[in-house]
Protein backbone atom coordinates (compact mmCIF):
# COMPACT_ATOMS: atom_id res chain seq x y z
CA UNK A 1 0.00 0.00 0.00
CA UNK A 2 1.21 3.49 -0.88
CA UNK A 3 -0.14 6.67 0.77
CA UNK A 4 -0.44 9.98 -1.08
CA UNK A 5 -2.03 13.26 0.03
CA UNK A 6 -4.43 15.31 -2.08
CA UNK A 7 -4.03 18.61 -0.24
CA UNK A 8 -1.56 20.59 1.84
CA UNK A 9 -2.75 19.42 5.25
CA UNK A 10 -0.77 16.56 6.76
CA UNK A 11 -3.14 15.96 9.69
CA UNK A 12 -5.08 13.11 8.09
CA UNK A 13 -1.87 11.58 6.70
CA UNK A 14 -0.31 11.56 10.16
CA UNK A 15 -3.49 10.13 11.67
CA UNK A 16 -3.35 7.35 9.08
CA UNK A 17 0.28 6.60 9.84
CA UNK A 18 -0.49 6.51 13.57
CA UNK A 19 -3.20 3.92 12.97
CA UNK A 20 -0.90 1.86 10.75
CA UNK A 21 1.69 1.82 13.52
CA UNK A 22 -0.87 0.26 15.85
CA UNK A 23 -2.23 -1.98 13.11
CA UNK A 24 1.21 -3.41 12.27
CA UNK A 25 2.42 -3.92 15.85
CA UNK A 26 2.27 -7.21 17.77
CA UNK A 27 -1.06 -6.54 19.49
CA UNK A 28 -3.93 -8.82 18.54
CA UNK A 29 -6.73 -6.26 18.78
CA UNK A 30 -7.66 -2.60 18.78
CA UNK A 31 -10.00 -0.63 21.05
CA UNK A 32 -12.79 1.20 19.24
CA UNK A 33 -15.58 3.39 20.63
CA UNK A 34 -19.07 2.70 19.32
CA UNK A 35 -20.78 5.61 17.54
CA UNK A 36 -23.04 6.55 20.47
CA UNK A 37 -26.07 7.00 18.23
CA UNK A 38 -28.35 4.86 20.43
CA UNK A 39 -26.70 5.43 23.80
CA UNK A 40 -23.42 6.43 25.43
CA UNK A 41 -20.37 5.37 23.37
CA UNK A 42 -18.79 2.20 24.68
CA UNK A 43 -15.29 0.83 24.21
CA UNK A 44 -15.23 -2.36 22.15
CA UNK A 45 -12.18 -4.57 21.73
CA UNK A 46 -11.98 -5.75 18.12
CA UNK A 47 -9.56 -8.52 17.10
CA UNK A 48 -7.46 -7.57 14.10
CA UNK A 49 -8.31 -10.84 12.37
CA UNK A 50 -11.97 -9.80 12.38
CA UNK A 51 -11.11 -6.53 10.67
CA UNK A 52 -9.13 -8.41 8.01
CA UNK A 53 -12.02 -10.83 7.50
CA UNK A 54 -14.49 -7.96 7.16
CA UNK A 55 -12.18 -6.20 4.69
CA UNK A 56 -11.98 -9.40 2.64
CA UNK A 57 -15.78 -9.67 2.57
CA UNK A 58 -16.14 -6.14 1.19
CA UNK A 59 -13.27 -6.67 -1.23
CA UNK A 60 -14.79 -9.85 -2.60
CA UNK A 61 -18.17 -8.16 -3.09
CA UNK A 62 -16.69 -5.13 -4.90
CA UNK A 63 -13.88 -7.07 -6.61
CA UNK A 64 -11.22 -4.79 -5.09
CA UNK A 65 -8.52 -7.20 -6.27
CA UNK A 66 -8.99 -5.66 -9.72
CA UNK A 67 -8.76 -2.10 -8.36
CA UNK A 68 -5.72 0.14 -7.89
CA UNK A 69 -6.74 3.13 -5.72
CA UNK A 70 -8.85 4.25 -2.77
CA UNK A 71 -9.66 7.60 -1.16
CA UNK A 72 -9.67 8.11 2.62
CA UNK A 73 -11.84 11.09 3.55
CA UNK A 74 -13.01 10.13 7.04
CA UNK A 75 -11.17 10.02 10.35
CA UNK A 76 -9.37 6.86 11.41
CA UNK A 77 -10.64 7.58 14.93
CA UNK A 78 -13.79 5.78 13.76
CA UNK A 79 -14.25 2.26 12.45
CA UNK A 80 -15.21 3.47 8.96
CA UNK A 81 -11.89 5.25 8.50
CA UNK A 82 -9.88 2.40 10.01
CA UNK A 83 -11.50 -0.12 7.70
CA UNK A 84 -10.66 1.94 4.59
CA UNK A 85 -6.99 1.71 5.59
CA UNK A 86 -7.24 -2.04 6.27
CA UNK A 87 -8.96 -2.69 2.93
CA UNK A 88 -6.35 -0.65 1.09
CA UNK A 89 -3.51 -2.56 2.72
CA UNK A 90 -5.14 -5.95 2.18
CA UNK A 91 -5.76 -5.32 -1.53
CA UNK A 92 -2.55 -3.30 -2.06
CA UNK A 93 -4.34 -0.13 -3.17
CA UNK A 94 -2.75 3.29 -3.45
CA UNK A 95 -4.48 5.19 -0.64
CA UNK A 96 -5.06 8.87 -1.34
CA UNK A 97 -5.83 10.85 1.82
CA UNK A 98 -7.61 14.18 2.01
CA UNK A 99 -8.90 16.49 4.71
CA UNK A 100 -12.04 15.35 6.51
CA UNK A 101 -14.43 17.99 5.16
CA UNK A 102 -18.01 18.21 3.97
CA UNK A 103 -16.76 18.12 0.36
CA UNK A 104 -13.84 15.68 0.18
CA UNK A 105 -13.88 15.58 -3.64
CA UNK A 106 -12.89 19.25 -3.98
CA UNK A 107 -9.22 18.40 -4.65
CA UNK A 108 -9.83 15.17 -6.56
CA UNK A 109 -8.64 15.33 -10.18
CA UNK A 110 -7.95 11.69 -11.06
CA UNK A 111 -10.04 8.51 -11.17
CA UNK A 112 -10.44 6.65 -7.87
CA UNK A 113 -11.61 3.05 -7.68
CA UNK A 114 -13.01 2.98 -4.14
CA UNK A 115 -14.35 5.65 -1.77
CA UNK A 116 -16.37 5.59 1.47
CA UNK A 117 -18.34 8.70 2.43
CA UNK A 118 -21.19 9.76 4.71
CA UNK A 119 -24.42 11.12 3.13
CA UNK A 120 -23.58 14.72 4.03
CA UNK A 121 -20.30 14.49 2.09
CA UNK A 122 -22.04 13.06 -0.98
CA UNK A 123 -24.72 15.76 -0.83
CA UNK A 124 -22.10 18.51 -0.61
CA UNK A 125 -20.08 17.03 -3.48
CA UNK A 126 -23.22 16.88 -5.61
CA UNK A 127 -23.84 20.56 -4.91
CA UNK A 128 -20.32 21.85 -5.53
CA UNK A 129 -18.46 19.34 -7.72
CA UNK A 130 -21.06 16.94 -9.15
CA UNK A 131 -18.92 16.01 -12.15
CA UNK A 132 -16.35 14.44 -9.81
CA UNK A 133 -18.75 11.63 -8.91
CA UNK A 134 -17.90 10.26 -12.37
CA UNK A 135 -14.26 9.87 -11.28
CA UNK A 136 -15.31 7.25 -8.72
CA UNK A 137 -15.81 3.59 -9.61
CA UNK A 138 -17.20 2.20 -6.31
CA UNK A 139 -18.80 4.48 -3.68
CA UNK A 140 -20.09 3.15 -0.36
CA UNK A 141 -22.20 5.48 1.80
CA UNK A 142 -22.63 4.87 5.53
CA UNK A 143 -23.09 6.47 8.91
CA UNK A 144 -26.67 7.67 8.34
CA UNK A 145 -29.72 6.83 6.19
CA UNK A 146 -29.56 7.86 2.52
CA UNK A 147 -32.46 10.08 1.44
CA UNK A 148 -34.65 9.39 -1.59
CA UNK A 149 -33.45 12.65 -3.13
CA UNK A 150 -29.82 11.58 -2.86
CA UNK A 151 -30.63 8.21 -4.45
CA UNK A 152 -32.38 10.04 -7.29
CA UNK A 153 -29.40 12.33 -7.89
CA UNK A 154 -26.90 9.47 -7.91
CA UNK A 155 -28.72 7.89 -10.87
CA UNK A 156 -27.19 10.57 -13.10
CA UNK A 157 -23.59 9.46 -12.50
CA UNK A 158 -21.52 6.49 -13.57
CA UNK A 159 -20.21 5.45 -10.14
CA UNK A 160 -21.49 2.24 -8.57
CA UNK A 161 -23.08 3.44 -5.32
CA UNK A 162 -24.09 1.42 -2.27
CA UNK A 163 -25.63 2.20 1.10
CA UNK A 164 -24.04 0.22 3.92
CA UNK A 165 -25.56 -1.51 6.93
CA UNK A 166 -23.50 -2.44 9.95
CA UNK A 167 -22.22 -1.37 13.35
CA UNK A 168 -19.02 -1.37 15.34
CA UNK A 169 -19.94 -4.76 16.79
CA UNK A 170 -20.05 -6.28 13.28
CA UNK A 171 -16.71 -4.68 12.34
CA UNK A 172 -18.09 -2.31 9.71
CA UNK A 173 -20.88 -3.35 7.34
CA UNK A 174 -22.36 -6.79 6.78
CA UNK A 175 -24.87 -5.76 4.09
CA UNK A 176 -24.94 -3.41 1.09
CA UNK A 177 -27.81 -1.85 -0.85
CA UNK A 178 -27.32 -1.06 -4.54
CA UNK A 179 -28.54 2.53 -4.90
CA UNK A 180 -28.66 2.24 -8.69
CA UNK A 181 -31.50 -0.27 -8.32
CA UNK A 182 -34.49 1.62 -6.98
CA UNK A 183 -36.29 -0.16 -4.13
CA UNK A 184 -33.46 -2.69 -3.92
CA UNK A 185 -33.09 -4.35 -0.48
CA UNK A 186 -29.96 -4.61 1.59
CA UNK A 187 -28.09 -7.79 0.67
CA UNK A 188 -25.81 -9.57 3.12
CA UNK A 189 -22.18 -10.04 2.13
CA UNK A 190 -19.92 -12.98 2.84
CA UNK A 191 -21.54 -15.89 4.66
CA UNK A 192 -23.76 -13.60 6.74
CA UNK A 193 -27.16 -15.10 7.54
CA UNK A 194 -30.12 -13.07 8.73
CA UNK A 195 -33.22 -13.71 10.79
CA UNK A 196 -35.54 -11.68 13.05
CA UNK A 197 -36.80 -11.69 16.62
CA UNK A 198 -39.74 -9.37 17.32
CA UNK A 199 -39.14 -7.77 13.89
CA UNK A 200 -35.57 -6.85 14.92
CA UNK A 201 -32.71 -8.07 12.75
CA UNK A 202 -30.54 -10.92 14.06
CA UNK A 203 -27.11 -11.49 12.50
CA UNK A 204 -25.00 -14.63 12.24
CA UNK A 205 -21.62 -14.88 10.54
CA UNK A 206 -19.34 -17.79 11.42
CA UNK A 207 -16.32 -16.22 9.67
CA UNK A 208 -16.57 -13.23 12.02
CA UNK A 209 -17.64 -15.46 14.94
CA UNK A 210 -20.87 -13.51 15.31
CA UNK A 211 -23.68 -15.67 16.64
CA UNK A 212 -27.28 -14.65 17.24
CA UNK A 213 -26.49 -10.92 17.45
CA UNK A 214 -29.84 -9.21 17.98
CA UNK A 215 -29.87 -5.61 16.80
CA UNK A 216 -32.34 -2.82 17.51
CA UNK A 217 -32.98 -2.43 13.78
CA UNK A 218 -36.54 -3.16 12.69
CA UNK A 219 -36.57 -4.72 9.23
CA UNK A 220 -38.80 -6.37 6.68
CA UNK A 221 -36.96 -9.65 6.15
CA UNK A 222 -37.12 -11.00 2.59
CA UNK A 223 -34.95 -14.08 3.11
CA UNK A 224 -31.82 -15.01 5.06
CA UNK A 225 -29.68 -12.80 2.80
CA UNK A 226 -31.79 -9.68 2.21
CA UNK A 227 -34.05 -7.16 3.96
CA UNK A 228 -35.59 -3.70 3.84
CA UNK A 229 -34.60 -1.46 6.75
CA UNK A 230 -37.48 0.35 8.50
CA UNK A 231 -35.90 2.03 11.52
CA UNK A 232 -34.59 1.59 15.06
CA UNK A 233 -36.70 -0.06 17.73
CA UNK A 234 -35.24 2.47 20.19
CA UNK A 235 -37.02 5.29 18.37
CA UNK A 236 -40.36 3.77 17.32
CA UNK A 237 -43.24 6.13 18.15
CA UNK A 238 -46.48 4.52 19.35
CA UNK A 239 -49.07 7.19 18.66
CA UNK A 240 -52.68 6.22 19.25
CA UNK A 241 -51.77 2.56 18.79
CA UNK A 242 -50.03 3.18 15.43
CA UNK A 243 -46.31 2.44 15.24
CA UNK A 244 -44.38 5.11 13.38
CA UNK A 245 -40.72 4.86 12.37
CA UNK A 246 -39.22 8.39 12.53
CA UNK A 247 -36.39 7.48 10.13
CA UNK A 248 -38.93 6.51 7.48
CA UNK A 249 -40.85 9.76 7.98
CA UNK A 250 -37.60 11.73 7.68
CA UNK A 251 -36.72 9.92 4.46
CA UNK A 252 -40.08 10.91 2.96
CA UNK A 253 -39.79 14.63 3.74
CA UNK A 254 -36.10 15.26 3.05
CA UNK A 255 -37.03 15.92 -0.58
CA UNK A 256 -39.18 18.84 0.58
CA UNK A 257 -36.81 20.29 3.16
CA UNK A 258 -33.50 19.73 1.30
CA UNK A 259 -31.61 19.74 4.59
CA UNK A 260 -30.44 17.24 7.18
CA UNK A 261 -30.85 19.68 10.07
CA UNK A 262 -34.07 18.23 11.45
CA UNK A 263 -35.50 15.11 13.07
CA UNK A 264 -38.88 13.56 13.69
CA UNK A 265 -39.34 12.72 17.36
CA UNK A 266 -42.14 12.45 19.93
CA UNK A 267 -43.45 13.86 23.18
CA UNK A 268 -45.89 12.35 25.71
CA UNK A 269 -49.53 13.07 24.95
CA UNK A 270 -52.55 12.38 27.16
CA UNK A 271 -54.78 11.31 24.28
CA UNK A 272 -52.34 9.56 21.93
CA UNK A 273 -49.79 8.27 24.42
CA UNK A 274 -47.08 9.87 22.28
CA UNK A 275 -47.41 12.51 19.60
CA UNK A 276 -45.21 12.98 16.57
CA UNK A 277 -43.20 16.21 16.54
CA UNK A 278 -40.80 17.98 14.17
CA UNK A 279 -37.56 19.48 15.52
CA UNK A 280 -35.51 21.63 13.15
CA UNK A 281 -32.73 24.19 13.30
CA UNK A 282 -33.68 27.86 13.32
CA UNK A 283 -32.07 28.60 9.95
CA UNK A 284 -34.63 26.44 8.12
CA UNK A 285 -37.04 28.35 5.91
CA UNK A 286 -40.36 27.98 7.69
CA UNK A 287 -42.40 29.47 4.82
CA UNK A 288 -44.98 26.85 3.89
CA UNK A 289 -42.82 24.26 5.69
CA UNK A 290 -45.76 22.58 7.40
CA UNK A 291 -47.83 22.35 4.21
CA UNK A 292 -44.86 21.02 2.22
CA UNK A 293 -44.13 18.33 4.80
CA UNK A 294 -47.69 17.20 5.29
CA UNK A 295 -48.19 16.63 1.55
CA UNK A 296 -45.77 13.70 1.86
CA UNK A 297 -47.17 12.09 5.00
CA UNK A 298 -50.16 10.07 6.16
CA UNK A 299 -52.38 11.54 8.86
CA UNK A 300 -50.65 9.38 11.49
CA UNK A 301 -47.17 10.50 10.45
CA UNK A 302 -47.89 14.25 10.34
CA UNK A 303 -46.24 16.19 13.19
CA UNK A 304 -48.62 17.50 15.82
CA UNK A 305 -46.14 20.21 16.82
CA UNK A 306 -43.11 22.00 15.33
CA UNK A 307 -40.05 23.18 17.28
CA UNK A 308 -37.00 25.14 16.13
CA UNK A 309 -33.74 25.24 18.09
CA UNK A 310 -30.31 26.76 17.51
CA UNK A 311 -28.67 23.42 16.64
CA UNK A 312 -29.35 19.71 16.88
CA UNK A 313 -27.32 17.76 19.41
CA UNK A 314 -24.78 15.40 17.87
CA UNK A 315 -22.57 12.54 18.99
CA UNK A 316 -18.77 12.70 18.84
CA UNK A 317 -18.89 11.00 15.41
CA UNK A 318 -21.32 13.61 14.06
CA UNK A 319 -24.53 11.60 14.16
CA UNK A 320 -27.67 13.31 15.46
CA UNK A 321 -28.35 12.47 19.10
CA UNK A 322 -32.12 12.08 19.10
CA UNK A 323 -32.48 11.72 22.84
CA UNK A 324 -30.49 14.85 23.70
CA UNK A 325 -32.07 16.87 20.89
CA UNK A 326 -35.59 16.02 22.09
CA UNK A 327 -34.56 16.85 25.65
CA UNK A 328 -33.77 20.40 24.46
CA UNK A 329 -37.47 21.19 24.04
CA UNK A 330 -38.81 19.43 27.13
Amino acid sequence: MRIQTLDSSTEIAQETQDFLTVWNDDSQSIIQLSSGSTGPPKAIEIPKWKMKTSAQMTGDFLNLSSCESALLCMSTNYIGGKMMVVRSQLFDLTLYVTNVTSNPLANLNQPIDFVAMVPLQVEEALQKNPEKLNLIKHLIIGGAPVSDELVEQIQNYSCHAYSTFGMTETVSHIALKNLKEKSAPYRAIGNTKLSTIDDCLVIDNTDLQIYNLKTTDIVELIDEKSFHWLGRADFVINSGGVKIHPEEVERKIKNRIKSTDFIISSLPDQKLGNKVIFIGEKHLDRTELKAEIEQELSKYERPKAYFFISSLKRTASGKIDRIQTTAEIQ
Side-chain angles (χ1 to χ4, degrees):
M1 181 180 70
R2 298 155 299 284
I3 298 177
Q4 296 189 24
T5 58
L6 288 183
D7 42 54
S8 58
S9 174
T10 59
E11 181 179 347
I12 186 67
Q14 185 59 55
E15 193 178 275
T16 304
Q17 291 289 357
D18 290 344
F19 168 66
L20 278 170
T21 299
V22 175
W23 178 252
N24 292 322
D25 68 19
D26 293 333
S27 63
Q28 299 300 305
S29 62
I30 66 165
I31 302 298
Q32 178 65 50
L33 289 178
S34 63
S35 66
S37 56
T38 60
K42 56 183 179 181
I44 299 173
E45 184 174 359
I46 305 177
K48 290 178 180 178
W49 69 263
K50 278 195 176 186
M51 297 174 71
K52 289 180 182 177
T53 301
S54 174
Q56 187 71 51
M57 287 164 53
T58 301
D60 290 344
F61 183 88
L62 297 177
N63 193 23
L64 294 184
S65 59
S66 67
C67 295
E68 298 180 354
S69 60
L71 175 66
L72 176 64
C73 56
M74 51 182 61
S75 173
T76 55
N77 288 328
Y78 303 108
I79 191 66
K82 287 182 172 68
M83 289 304 300
M84 282 301 294
V85 179
V86 175
R87 295 172 193 132
S88 297
Q89 186 180 71
L90 184 64
F91 289 93
D92 194 26
L93 306 177
T94 297
L95 181 64
Y96 293 88
V97 297
T98 188
N99 288 325
V100 181
T101 65
S102 59
N103 181 19
L105 303 187
N107 296 312
L108 182 66
N109 295 304
Q110 74 266 2
I112 292 287
D113 290 319
F114 180 41
V115 184
M117 299 166 68
V118 298
L120 177 62
Q121 290 176 314
V122 182
E123 290 166 2
E124 194 76 5
L126 284 167
Q127 276 193 348
K128 297 181 177 177
N129 303 101
E131 73 285 352
K132 295 194 176 184
L133 266 294
N134 289 324
L135 293 173
I136 298 171
K137 183 176 182 180
H138 297 299
L139 169 64
I140 60 175
I141 308 173
V146 178
S147 68
D148 287 350
E149 182 186 18
L150 185 53
V151 173
E152 195 65 39
Q153 288 179 292
I154 285 174
Q155 306 305 313
N156 299 318
Y157 301 91
S158 60
C159 64
H160 302 289
Y162 302 87
S163 175
T164 68
F165 176 88
M167 58 209 74
T168 305
E169 292 86 344
T170 61
V171 195
S172 191
H173 53 262
I174 51 84
L176 292 164
K177 176 181 179 178
N178 187 345
L179 298 180
K180 290 299 188 73
E181 296 179 8
K182 293 184 179 180
S183 301
Y186 282 95
R187 299 190 186 280
I189 63 175
N191 75 348
T192 304
K193 292 186 178 181
L194 309 169
S195 58
T196 57
I197 296 177
D198 299 327
D199 295 325
C200 287
L201 188 67
V202 179
I203 300 168
D204 285 273
N205 185 304
T206 53
D207 289 343
L208 292 171
Q209 293 186 10
I210 294 173
Y211 305 106
N212 201 37
L213 174 62
K214 183 178 179 181
T215 73
T216 58
D217 294 277
I218 296 179
V219 303
E220 177 189 332
L221 191 69
I222 299 172
D223 52 43
E224 66 176 17
K225 298 292 285 187
S226 57
F227 64 92
H228 291 291
W229 184 80
L230 301 179
R232 288 273 178 83
D234 318 61
F235 306 131
V236 169
I237 301 168
N238 191 327
S239 184
V242 177
K243 290 184 178 179
I244 298 161
H245 301 286
E247 299 95 337
E248 279 290 289
V249 177
E250 291 161 6
R251 181 186 59 78
K252 290 182 180 180
I253 64 178
K254 276 180 181 173
N255 291 354
R256 297 282 184 173
I257 299 177
K258 300 188 184 302
S259 170
T260 58
D261 298 329
F262 74 92
I263 62 168
I264 295 296
S265 188
S266 66
L267 287 175
D269 183 84
Q270 285 189 343
K271 182 178 179 181
L272 298 171
N274 288 283
K275 64 181 180 182
V276 178
I277 63 170
F278 174 98
I279 307 176
E281 295 194 349
K282 288 181 177 179
H283 67 80
L284 292 176
D285 184 0
R286 305 183 201 182
T287 306
E288 300 181 355
L289 177 68
K290 182 178 178 181
E292 286 284 326
I293 289 174
E294 295 187 355
Q295 284 185 44
E296 299 292 328
L297 305 177
S298 70
K299 64 178 182 179
Y300 300 107
E301 297 170 327
R302 290 170 189 158
K304 302 299 186 289
Y306 289 77
F307 300 89
F308 295 89
I309 60 178
S310 57
S311 62
L312 304 183
K313 298 297 181 181
R314 295 182 181 270
T315 67
S317 62
K319 294 182 181 181
I320 295 173
D321 188 323
R322 294 174 179 272
I323 296 173
Q324 291 301 317
T325 296
T326 305
E328 285 288 292
I329 63 169
Q330 293 178 302

